[in-house]
Amino acid sequence: YAALLCTDAAGRVIAATNPDLVGRDYSSRKWFRNAAAGRNTLRGPRFSSVFNRRVVEIATPIFDPEQPSAVIGGLLGVYEWRHAL
């Protein structure tokens, strides 16, 4: 993978493989909006200017284990396209 990150229910990064991402707001990103609505997202391959290569993004909601219908965050994995093949 190129990066993994986890958000809270508001879209703020609470954990990431790159510590510089912690605290950033991802609430306006399409993958997060899908995750907040309980949907998975698969995007790519596409060129990422952040990673300077083609990537695939896979995102999923994180459900509350005590209240399975409630989304408490989102998980995004960014994978290098050439390695995904």
Side-chain angles (χ1 to χ4, degrees):
Y1 60 86
L4 296 172
L5 63 91
C6 179
T7 69
D8 62 12
R12 191 151 315 274
V13 177
I14 57 172
T17 52
N18 178 347
D20 294 336
L21 298 177
V22 175
R24 291 194 184 182
D25 181 7
Y26 279 72
S27 61
S28 65
R29 303 289 176 105
K30 185 175 183 177
W31 70 264
F32 175 76
R33 290 192 317 268
N34 283 336
R39 296 186 303 265
N40 297 317
T41 301
L42 173 62
R43 182 175 175 215
R46 67 174 192 82
F47 182 79
S48 169
S49 58
V50 173
F51 298 103
N52 197 31
R53 66 193 108 181
R54 289 176 60 154
V55 299
V56 173
E57 295 176 341
I58 301 171
T60 191
I62 301 171
F63 293 98
D64 185 337
E66 295 178 11
Q67 189 179 8
S69 62
V71 175
I72 59 173
L75 177 65
L76 173 69
V78 181
Y79 299 90
E80 295 182 37
W81 176 243
R82 64 185 175 96
H83 290 292
L85 291 175

